[in-house]
Amino acid sequence: MASPSERKNDDFARKFRDLFTTRDVILHDGRGLRRFSICGRSQALFASAAALTVLFSGYGVSQAMAGAITFTGAAANPGSPEAQVAAMRAEVARMRAEVAAAKQEARLHAEKIEQRQAMLNAVVSGKADRTVLAQELPAVPQKTSALAREITAPLRRLEARQVALAVKAQQVGKARVREATARIRKLGLSPSRFVKAEVAMGGPYEPVSDEEAATASMADADAQFRSLFLTWKKLDSIESTSISIPSMQPVQHVSFTSHFGVRSDPFRGTAAMHAGVDIPGQTGTPIYATADGIVSHAGRQGGYGNLVQVNHGHGIETRYGHLSKILVADNTRVRRGQIIGLMGSTGRSTGTHLHYEVRLDGRAINPIPFIQSGEYIAQAPVSGGAVGGPR
């Protein structure tokens, strides 16, 4: 009697033989029918070859997928394929954000370098791009990534060279400020009229650690350029307002028939104060504004006769008296060197001349230093010339 296992083997063999029995195949070749017979052995061989082909193809695809996952590092991440893909996307997003932050930091460094270069040019050469100097740049982050440090390394080296130049530019700027203020003092004016007071600072001394000092290195560089900016502002204030200081000749050829101060009055013969200088010339000689300003009076005024009075700001005023003709009107702006009238002998005058005054806060001061400040040398007094002026 056969065992159960033998019966199962016989059943399997019978089913296998039934599956691969001899089969007849009929084909039509276009001219007639042809009949072929394929035995079971041949069918089994074809089926085995097809199965092996499918198995090898599946194995190759599985090996390729495993290699791709290993190459991208996803195999190291536990979890489902969806989780691995999400992790890779997060890593790509992080790298993208790091690159964007590095680009932003490089842009900030470049803008700061441009602004500092404009500041150096302004102090050393006097050529200032005010739009660049007026920019308020956001602070560059101190904690940066390795990528950002690598990208901005050349810019940081350039910034370090700029800081070294800023120290020298500060010395040049302060020297120019000292020269400008000395010229102003020579005229008897206070530089404080044209320059704002220094920024007040102070406090007890408290040393810091090396770590704190290193952290503050960037702040020190910014402070150096802030100090340079203040120096430029002071210099710019002096130079821009110096055009309001009367410092040129009111006529082309200068000589004096009467100086500033107490003199013998030409009409009464008694001692009297002469508030300006008398400069002789021909009737119709052009009279020039000695500085930029606003005409505060253009017309007849007492002993001055025809008078042009110019307000130059900062408490400074000039007066041009005895004119034969006035060529400007009240409340109009005049420029240094502009013709404002013609010489004459109107008012309290003994002959054709210009009575020229400089006043500071309404008080008459000697105008000769202002005329000389324009690198003109006053000539010796001319005897017998016309004199005059208000009593």
Side-chain angles (χ1 to χ4, degrees):
M1 186 175 179
S3 63
S5 61
E6 290 176 350
R7 285 198 301 272
K8 288 182 180 180
N9 290 336
D10 291 340
D11 291 341
F12 177 78
R14 185 174 61 255
K15 291 180 180 179
F16 184 81
R17 287 193 299 270
D18 293 340
L19 183 61
F20 295 104
T21 58
T22 301
R23 301 179 185 276
D24 293 331
V25 179
I26 300 175
L27 296 176
H28 193 284
D29 60 2
R31 291 176 296 177
L33 296 175
R34 301 184 63 181
R35 182 175 181 177
F36 297 93
S37 295
I38 302 176
C39 64
R41 184 185 297 274
S42 297
Q43 294 180 47
L45 289 175
F46 290 150
S48 300
L52 289 174
T53 300
V54 172
L55 288 174
F56 279 113
S57 298
Y59 177 76
V61 171
S62 64
Q63 289 298 313
M65 291 179 64
I69 293 173
T70 302
F71 178 76
T72 57
N77 296 328
S80 64
E82 291 81 1
Q84 295 175 2
V85 170
M88 286 190 293
R89 286 178 177 174
E91 178 66 14
V92 170
R94 186 194 65 79
M95 294 174 63
R96 185 176 298 171
E98 184 178 354
V99 170
K103 289 171 62 178
Q104 173 70 3
E105 184 173 340
R107 184 185 66 80
L108 294 177
H109 276 285
E111 290 180 356
K112 178 173 286 189
I113 287 172
E114 182 181 359
Q115 188 184 52
R116 288 178 172 179
Q117 192 63 40
M119 178 61 60
L120 292 171
N121 294 340
V123 174
V124 176
S125 67
K127 298 178 180 178
D129 188 346
R130 297 176 183 274
T131 57
V132 176
L133 295 180
Q135 292 178 0
E136 292 188 7
L137 302 178
V140 178
Q142 295 185 5
K143 293 183 178 180
T144 59
S145 64
L147 177 63
R149 287 193 296 271
E150 182 177 356
I151 291 176
T152 59
L155 298 176
R156 292 178 185 274
R157 288 193 293 270
L158 183 56
E159 285 180 338
R161 290 199 294 270
Q162 283 186 323
V163 172
L165 287 175
V167 176
K168 297 180 180 179
Q170 181 84 310
Q171 297 172 353
V172 172
K174 287 183 176 180
R176 290 178 61 187
V177 169
R178 286 194 297 270
E179 292 174 0
T181 53
R183 288 194 298 267
I184 292 174
R185 287 192 179 96
K186 191 175 181 180
L187 296 175
L189 302 175
S190 172
S192 61
R193 289 180 177 270
F194 311 96
V195 184
K196 293 182 178 180
E198 297 280 354
V199 178
M201 294 183 293
Y205 172 74
E206 294 185 10
V208 297
S209 65
D210 293 340
E211 182 178 354
E212 290 173 326
T215 304
S217 61
M218 184 179 295
D220 290 342
D222 291 338
Q224 177 66 51
F225 274 92
R226 280 196 298 271
S227 177
L228 186 62
F229 178 76
L230 293 176
T231 299
W232 171 77
K233 288 288 289 183
K234 182 184 295 184
L235 183 61
D236 181 65
S237 178
I238 293 175
E239 293 180 345
S240 62
T241 56
S242 63
I243 200 166
S244 67
I245 299 175
S247 56
M248 68 170 290
Q249 296 180 158
V251 296
Q252 188 172 2
H253 302 289
V254 173
S255 60
F256 301 109
T257 56
S258 182
H259 285 280
F260 173 84
V262 177
R263 66 172 183 176
S264 176
D265 185 79
F267 291 94
R268 296 194 175 195
T270 58
M273 179 65 188
H274 188 223
V277 292
D278 291 337
I279 304 173
Q282 298 295 322
T283 300
T285 299
I287 306 300
Y288 304 98
T290 55
D292 286 14
I294 303 293
V295 177
S296 56
H297 178 80
R300 195 85 179 182
Q301 184 168 318
Y304 288 104
N306 291 330
L307 172 70
V308 172
Q309 184 173 310
V310 181
N311 183 356
H312 304 285
H314 305 284
I316 302 174
E317 177 185 279
T318 53
R319 296 181 180 183
Y320 311 79
H322 309 311
L323 302 180
S324 63
K325 188 174 184 178
I326 295 174
L327 301 179
V328 291
D330 289 348
N331 302 317
T332 57
R333 177 174 292 278
V334 294
R335 300 294 183 185
R336 181 193 302 268
Q338 178 180 337
I339 298 177
I340 58 176
L342 303 178
M343 188 180 293
S345 185
T346 58
R348 197 169 184 268
S349 170
T350 63
T352 304
H353 73 286
L354 169 69
H355 175 82
Y356 176 62
E357 291 183 16
V358 175
R359 289 182 175 262
L360 183 64
D361 297 330
R363 179 178 58 86
I365 59 177
N366 190 356
I368 290 181
F370 291 87
I371 297 175
Q372 292 175 336
S373 70
E375 298 182 353
Y376 300 111
I377 300 176
Q379 300 178 15
V382 177
S383 60
V387 293
R391 180 180 176 183

